[in-house]
Amino acid sequence: MIGQKEVTRILILFLGLTASCLVLYKTAYPLQRLNVNNLSSLVASPSPPLPKLSEISQETAKRKISFKEILENASTKNNTVIITTLNQAWAEPNSLFDLFLESFRIGQGTQQLLKHVVVVCLDGKAFERCSQLHPNCYHIETTETDFSGEKVYNTPDYLKMMWRRIELLTQVLQMGFNFIFTDADIMWLRDPFPRLYPDGDFQMACDRFFGNPFDSDNWVNGGFTYVRSNNRSIEFYKFWHKSRLDYPELHDQDVFNRIKHMPYITEIGIQMRFFDTVYFGGFCQTSRDINLVCTMHANCCIGLEKKLHDLNLVLDDWRKYLSLSEHVQNTTWSAPMKCLED
């Protein structure tokens, strides 16, 4: 039996040891006062959730796709793409881009070609509108010049825009793609591929055609061209773009007319063909047969409003033609009308 004195000593010793342990623990791990207000604020304001993949805008997704990937997605089996350029002025609702797309929808054999169309947008607004209407849109950065507004023919900004186009098409050829380049003020009424020449590296439409597809003295128009990707065409486009430095006040089409007879073009060996306006017509020389016409271009016409008015007339004529049950022999176009005015 343990005596009372021994029990008392054990209790005193135990209490002393406990107190010492508490002092040591507090020294090693000092207590922090919890701020209740901070705690409530953390509960009331949780971190925002991560965005869902579905909430990422289509525009952001499209900007991450390279130009080459867009070309690959849009190309035909033989590596051919249809390319047009677009700025804000032509991309506005009820402007030229809407008419351009509409022509593909109501043309004969052209609906399936839309998936091969790549639209190169020269400003952010054009890219936004294009992305709403078409799957293959690419925004090309142009830091030195604002290309968003209407560019009047042969003004300094117009010239820059035309040469930026030649530079871009050179890159397309270097990546191994054949292309049809088409201005957005061209209405696609029939599939033009059957009318392309089986030979010829470089094939171009004309303001006026004089009967010989081999004659480079036809009055050419760069708004519609078909080019095969090969060493000859790449070298030609490089030379064409470089020649702008020799003719700083001329646009690409006029420079082409200056260089087309140069000996170096013969050395390159590029084969050129020029399209009959019966198939690839325009306001300079309208197609003589609506049964054969593939495209109609608002050329020889300066001013966006005039182009819009007269191209609407072209589409109206085309719809009337499609509604007829009998073959049309005599072709009479309602356009050009406004484009003939000074």
Short mmCIF file of all heavy atoms in Angstrom, two decimals, residues 271-310:
data_model
loop_
_atom_site.label_atom_id
_atom_site.label_comp_id
_atom_site.label_asym_id
_atom_site.label_seq_id
_atom_site.Cartn_x
_atom_site.Cartn_y
_atom_site.Cartn_z
N GLN A 271 4.31 29.23 -118.54
CA GLN A 271 3.32 29.17 -119.60
C GLN A 271 2.08 29.96 -119.17
O GLN A 271 1.47 29.64 -118.14
CB GLN A 271 2.94 27.72 -119.90
CG GLN A 271 4.10 26.85 -120.33
CD GLN A 271 3.68 25.42 -120.58
OE1 GLN A 271 2.75 25.15 -121.34
NE2 GLN A 271 4.35 24.49 -119.91
N MET A 272 1.71 30.95 -119.95
CA MET A 272 0.58 31.82 -119.62
C MET A 272 -0.59 31.57 -120.57
O MET A 272 -0.40 31.35 -121.76
CB MET A 272 0.99 33.29 -119.68
CG MET A 272 2.02 33.70 -118.66
SD MET A 272 2.30 35.48 -118.67
CE MET A 272 3.54 35.64 -117.39
N ARG A 273 -1.81 31.62 -120.00
CA ARG A 273 -3.04 31.53 -120.78
C ARG A 273 -3.98 32.63 -120.29
O ARG A 273 -3.92 33.03 -119.11
CB ARG A 273 -3.71 30.16 -120.63
CG ARG A 273 -2.82 28.98 -120.98
CD ARG A 273 -2.57 28.87 -122.46
NE ARG A 273 -1.78 27.68 -122.77
CZ ARG A 273 -0.47 27.63 -122.82
NH1 ARG A 273 0.24 28.74 -122.55
NH2 ARG A 273 0.17 26.52 -123.13
N PHE A 274 -4.88 33.07 -121.17
CA PHE A 274 -5.80 34.16 -120.82
C PHE A 274 -7.23 33.75 -121.17
O PHE A 274 -7.49 33.21 -122.24
CB PHE A 274 -5.38 35.45 -121.53
CG PHE A 274 -3.97 35.85 -121.18
CD1 PHE A 274 -2.90 35.46 -121.99
CD2 PHE A 274 -3.70 36.56 -120.03
CE1 PHE A 274 -1.59 35.78 -121.65
CE2 PHE A 274 -2.39 36.88 -119.68
CZ PHE A 274 -1.34 36.50 -120.50
N PHE A 275 -8.15 34.02 -120.22
CA PHE A 275 -9.51 33.51 -120.32
C PHE A 275 -10.40 34.35 -121.22
O PHE A 275 -10.34 35.59 -121.21
CB PHE A 275 -10.15 33.43 -118.92
CG PHE A 275 -9.51 32.44 -118.00
CD1 PHE A 275 -9.03 32.84 -116.76
CD2 PHE A 275 -9.40 31.10 -118.36
CE1 PHE A 275 -8.45 31.93 -115.90
CE2 PHE A 275 -8.81 30.19 -117.50
CZ PHE A 275 -8.34 30.59 -116.27
N ASP A 276 -11.26 33.67 -121.94
CA ASP A 276 -12.27 34.31 -122.79
C ASP A 276 -13.35 34.92 -121.89
O ASP A 276 -13.83 34.28 -120.95
CB ASP A 276 -12.87 33.25 -123.71
CG ASP A 276 -13.70 33.85 -124.84
OD1 ASP A 276 -14.26 34.95 -124.66
OD2 ASP A 276 -13.81 33.19 -125.90
N THR A 277 -13.75 36.14 -122.21
CA THR A 277 -14.79 36.81 -121.42
C THR A 277 -16.18 36.19 -121.64
O THR A 277 -17.12 36.53 -120.92
CB THR A 277 -14.84 38.30 -121.74
OG1 THR A 277 -14.91 38.50 -123.16
CG2 THR A 277 -13.63 39.02 -121.19
N VAL A 278 -16.31 35.29 -122.60
CA VAL A 278 -17.56 34.53 -122.72
C VAL A 278 -17.79 33.71 -121.46
O VAL A 278 -18.92 33.58 -120.97
CB VAL A 278 -17.54 33.62 -123.96
CG1 VAL A 278 -18.70 32.61 -123.93
CG2 VAL A 278 -17.61 34.45 -125.23
N TYR A 279 -16.71 33.17 -120.91
CA TYR A 279 -16.81 32.33 -119.71
C TYR A 279 -16.52 33.12 -118.44
O TYR A 279 -17.12 32.87 -117.39
CB TYR A 279 -15.83 31.16 -119.81
CG TYR A 279 -15.98 30.36 -121.07
CD1 TYR A 279 -14.98 30.38 -122.04
CD2 TYR A 279 -17.12 29.61 -121.32
CE1 TYR A 279 -15.12 29.64 -123.21
CE2 TYR A 279 -17.28 28.88 -122.49
CZ TYR A 279 -16.27 28.91 -123.43
OH TYR A 279 -16.41 28.19 -124.61
N PHE A 280 -15.58 34.06 -118.53
CA PHE A 280 -15.17 34.85 -117.36
C PHE A 280 -15.37 36.33 -117.70
O PHE A 280 -14.44 37.03 -118.08
CB PHE A 280 -13.72 34.55 -117.00
CG PHE A 280 -13.47 33.09 -116.71
CD1 PHE A 280 -13.10 32.21 -117.72
CD2 PHE A 280 -13.63 32.60 -115.43
CE1 PHE A 280 -12.88 30.87 -117.46
CE2 PHE A 280 -13.41 31.25 -115.15
CZ PHE A 280 -13.04 30.39 -116.16
N GLY A 281 -16.62 36.75 -117.60
CA GLY A 281 -16.99 38.09 -118.03
C GLY A 281 -16.90 39.12 -116.93
O GLY A 281 -16.52 38.83 -115.79
N GLY A 282 -17.25 40.34 -117.28
CA GLY A 282 -17.26 41.44 -116.32
C GLY A 282 -17.92 42.65 -116.94
O GLY A 282 -18.42 42.60 -118.07
N PHE A 283 -17.92 43.73 -116.21
CA PHE A 283 -18.58 44.94 -116.69
C PHE A 283 -17.78 45.63 -117.79
O PHE A 283 -18.32 46.44 -118.54
CB PHE A 283 -18.83 45.91 -115.53
CG PHE A 283 -19.81 45.38 -114.51
CD1 PHE A 283 -19.89 45.95 -113.24
CD2 PHE A 283 -20.65 44.31 -114.79
CE1 PHE A 283 -20.79 45.48 -112.30
CE2 PHE A 283 -21.55 43.83 -113.87
CZ PHE A 283 -21.62 44.42 -112.61
N CYS A 284 -16.48 45.33 -117.89
CA CYS A 284 -15.70 45.87 -119.01
C CYS A 284 -16.17 45.24 -120.32
O CYS A 284 -16.32 45.92 -121.34
CB CYS A 284 -14.22 45.58 -118.83
SG CYS A 284 -13.48 46.27 -117.35
N GLN A 285 -16.39 43.94 -120.29
CA GLN A 285 -16.85 43.19 -121.46
C GLN A 285 -17.71 42.04 -120.94
O GLN A 285 -17.20 41.00 -120.55
CB GLN A 285 -15.65 42.66 -122.26
CG GLN A 285 -16.02 42.06 -123.60
CD GLN A 285 -14.78 41.64 -124.40
OE1 GLN A 285 -13.85 41.03 -123.87
NE2 GLN A 285 -14.75 42.00 -125.68
N THR A 286 -19.02 42.24 -120.92
CA THR A 286 -19.92 41.25 -120.34
C THR A 286 -19.94 39.99 -121.20
O THR A 286 -19.71 40.03 -122.41
CB THR A 286 -21.36 41.80 -120.24
OG1 THR A 286 -21.79 42.25 -121.52
CG2 THR A 286 -21.44 42.95 -119.25
N SER A 287 -20.22 38.87 -120.55
CA SER A 287 -20.32 37.61 -121.27
C SER A 287 -21.44 37.68 -122.30
O SER A 287 -22.53 38.21 -122.04
CB SER A 287 -20.61 36.47 -120.28
OG SER A 287 -20.88 35.27 -120.97
N ARG A 288 -21.18 37.13 -123.47
CA ARG A 288 -22.15 37.19 -124.55
C ARG A 288 -23.17 36.07 -124.49
O ARG A 288 -24.11 36.05 -125.30
CB ARG A 288 -21.42 37.16 -125.90
CG ARG A 288 -20.46 38.31 -126.09
CD ARG A 288 -19.81 38.29 -127.47
NE ARG A 288 -19.02 37.08 -127.69
CZ ARG A 288 -17.75 36.93 -127.28
NH1 ARG A 288 -17.16 37.90 -126.59
NH2 ARG A 288 -17.09 35.81 -127.53
N ASP A 289 -22.99 35.12 -123.56
CA ASP A 289 -23.89 33.97 -123.53
C ASP A 289 -24.10 33.54 -122.08
O ASP A 289 -23.20 32.99 -121.45
CB ASP A 289 -23.30 32.82 -124.34
CG ASP A 289 -24.31 31.71 -124.61
OD1 ASP A 289 -25.32 31.65 -123.89
OD2 ASP A 289 -24.07 30.92 -125.53
N ILE A 290 -25.30 33.77 -121.58
CA ILE A 290 -25.61 33.41 -120.19
C ILE A 290 -25.63 31.90 -120.01
O ILE A 290 -25.52 31.40 -118.89
CB ILE A 290 -26.96 34.04 -119.76
CG1 ILE A 290 -27.07 34.06 -118.23
CG2 ILE A 290 -28.13 33.31 -120.40
CD1 ILE A 290 -28.24 34.87 -117.71
N ASN A 291 -25.73 31.15 -121.10
CA ASN A 291 -25.70 29.69 -121.03
C ASN A 291 -24.29 29.16 -120.79
O ASN A 291 -24.13 27.98 -120.46
CB ASN A 291 -26.25 29.08 -122.32
CG ASN A 291 -27.67 29.52 -122.61
OD1 ASN A 291 -28.60 29.18 -121.89
ND2 ASN A 291 -27.84 30.30 -123.67
N LEU A 292 -23.28 30.01 -120.96
CA LEU A 292 -21.90 29.58 -120.83
C LEU A 292 -21.15 30.30 -119.71
O LEU A 292 -20.10 29.83 -119.27
CB LEU A 292 -21.14 29.81 -122.14
CG LEU A 292 -21.64 29.04 -123.36
CD1 LEU A 292 -20.85 29.45 -124.60
CD2 LEU A 292 -21.54 27.53 -123.14
N VAL A 293 -21.64 31.43 -119.26
CA VAL A 293 -20.91 32.27 -118.32
C VAL A 293 -20.65 31.52 -117.01
O VAL A 293 -21.51 30.80 -116.49
CB VAL A 293 -21.67 33.58 -118.04
CG1 VAL A 293 -23.01 33.32 -117.35
CG2 VAL A 293 -20.81 34.54 -117.22
N CYS A 294 -19.42 31.67 -116.49
CA CYS A 294 -19.05 31.08 -115.20
C CYS A 294 -18.97 32.15 -114.11
O CYS A 294 -19.46 31.95 -113.00
CB CYS A 294 -17.71 30.37 -115.31
SG CYS A 294 -17.70 28.94 -116.40
N THR A 295 -18.33 33.27 -114.43
CA THR A 295 -18.18 34.34 -113.44
C THR A 295 -18.46 35.69 -114.08
O THR A 295 -18.25 35.88 -115.28
CB THR A 295 -16.74 34.37 -112.86
OG1 THR A 295 -15.80 34.63 -113.91
CG2 THR A 295 -16.40 33.05 -112.18
N MET A 296 -18.93 36.62 -113.24
CA MET A 296 -19.13 38.01 -113.66
C MET A 296 -18.47 38.92 -112.63
O MET A 296 -18.75 38.83 -111.44
CB MET A 296 -20.61 38.34 -113.79
CG MET A 296 -21.23 37.83 -115.07
SD MET A 296 -20.73 38.78 -116.54
CE MET A 296 -21.74 40.24 -116.35
N HIS A 297 -17.61 39.80 -113.13
CA HIS A 297 -16.78 40.64 -112.29
C HIS A 297 -17.23 42.10 -112.39
O HIS A 297 -17.49 42.59 -113.49
CB HIS A 297 -15.32 40.51 -112.76
CG HIS A 297 -14.32 41.17 -111.88
ND1 HIS A 297 -12.98 41.24 -112.20
CD2 HIS A 297 -14.44 41.79 -110.66
CE1 HIS A 297 -12.33 41.87 -111.24
NE2 HIS A 297 -13.19 42.21 -110.30
N ALA A 298 -17.28 42.77 -111.24
CA ALA A 298 -17.62 44.21 -111.24
C ALA A 298 -16.37 45.02 -111.52
O ALA A 298 -15.98 45.92 -110.76
CB ALA A 298 -18.24 44.61 -109.91
N ASN A 299 -15.69 44.71 -112.64
CA ASN A 299 -14.53 45.48 -113.05
C ASN A 299 -14.97 46.71 -113.83
O ASN A 299 -16.16 46.89 -114.11
CB ASN A 299 -13.56 44.61 -113.87
CG ASN A 299 -14.25 43.90 -115.03
OD1 ASN A 299 -15.41 44.12 -115.31
ND2 ASN A 299 -13.51 43.02 -115.69
N CYS A 300 -14.02 47.56 -114.17
CA CYS A 300 -14.35 48.84 -114.83
C CYS A 300 -15.42 49.59 -114.04
O CYS A 300 -16.34 50.19 -114.62
CB CYS A 300 -14.80 48.62 -116.27
SG CYS A 300 -13.48 48.04 -117.36
N CYS A 301 -15.32 49.52 -112.73
CA CYS A 301 -16.33 50.15 -111.86
C CYS A 301 -15.63 50.58 -110.57
O CYS A 301 -15.05 49.75 -109.87
CB CYS A 301 -17.45 49.16 -111.54
SG CYS A 301 -18.78 49.86 -110.55
N ILE A 302 -15.68 51.86 -110.29
CA ILE A 302 -15.04 52.41 -109.09
C ILE A 302 -16.11 52.88 -108.11
O ILE A 302 -16.98 53.68 -108.46
CB ILE A 302 -14.11 53.58 -109.46
CG1 ILE A 302 -12.99 53.10 -110.40
CG2 ILE A 302 -13.50 54.20 -108.20
CD1 ILE A 302 -12.08 54.20 -110.89
N GLY A 303 -16.07 52.35 -106.90
CA GLY A 303 -17.03 52.74 -105.88
C GLY A 303 -17.84 51.56 -105.38
O GLY A 303 -18.44 50.82 -106.17
N LEU A 304 -17.83 51.37 -104.06
CA LEU A 304 -18.50 50.23 -103.45
C LEU A 304 -20.00 50.23 -103.74
O LEU A 304 -20.58 49.19 -104.09
CB LEU A 304 -18.24 50.23 -101.94
CG LEU A 304 -18.92 49.15 -101.11
CD1 LEU A 304 -18.54 47.76 -101.61
CD2 LEU A 304 -18.56 49.31 -99.64
N GLU A 305 -20.66 51.37 -103.60
CA GLU A 305 -22.11 51.42 -103.80
C GLU A 305 -22.49 51.07 -105.23
O GLU A 305 -23.49 50.38 -105.47
CB GLU A 305 -22.62 52.82 -103.43
CG GLU A 305 -22.51 53.15 -101.95
CD GLU A 305 -23.23 52.14 -101.07
OE1 GLU A 305 -24.35 51.71 -101.45
OE2 GLU A 305 -22.68 51.78 -100.01
N LYS A 306 -21.71 51.51 -106.18
CA LYS A 306 -21.99 51.18 -107.59
C LYS A 306 -21.84 49.69 -107.84
O LYS A 306 -22.67 49.06 -108.52
CB LYS A 306 -21.06 51.97 -108.51
CG LYS A 306 -21.33 53.47 -108.54
CD LYS A 306 -20.37 54.17 -109.49
CE LYS A 306 -20.64 55.67 -109.54
NZ LYS A 306 -19.70 56.37 -110.47
N LYS A 307 -20.79 49.12 -107.28
CA LYS A 307 -20.58 47.68 -107.43
C LYS A 307 -21.75 46.89 -106.83
O LYS A 307 -22.26 45.93 -107.44
CB LYS A 307 -19.28 47.26 -106.76
CG LYS A 307 -18.00 47.69 -107.47
CD LYS A 307 -16.76 47.28 -106.68
CE LYS A 307 -15.48 47.71 -107.34
NZ LYS A 307 -15.11 46.86 -108.48
N LEU A 308 -22.17 47.29 -105.63
CA LEU A 308 -23.28 46.59 -104.96
C LEU A 308 -24.55 46.65 -105.79
O LEU A 308 -25.25 45.64 -105.96
CB LEU A 308 -23.51 47.21 -103.58
CG LEU A 308 -22.53 46.84 -102.47
CD1 LEU A 308 -22.79 47.70 -101.23
CD2 LEU A 308 -22.67 45.37 -102.12
N HIS A 309 -24.85 47.82 -106.29
CA HIS A 309 -26.08 47.99 -107.08
C HIS A 309 -26.07 47.09 -108.31
O HIS A 309 -27.03 46.35 -108.58
CB HIS A 309 -26.23 49.46 -107.49
CG HIS A 309 -27.46 49.72 -108.31
ND1 HIS A 309 -27.46 49.58 -109.69
CD2 HIS A 309 -28.71 50.12 -107.96
CE1 HIS A 309 -28.66 49.88 -110.15
NE2 HIS A 309 -29.44 50.20 -109.11
N ASP A 310 -24.98 47.12 -109.05
CA ASP A 310 -24.95 46.40 -110.32
C ASP A 310 -24.77 44.90 -110.14
O ASP A 310 -25.29 44.11 -110.95
CB ASP A 310 -23.85 46.98 -111.21
CG ASP A 310 -24.25 48.31 -111.82
OD1 ASP A 310 -25.31 48.85 -111.43
OD2 ASP A 310 -23.52 48.82 -112.68
#
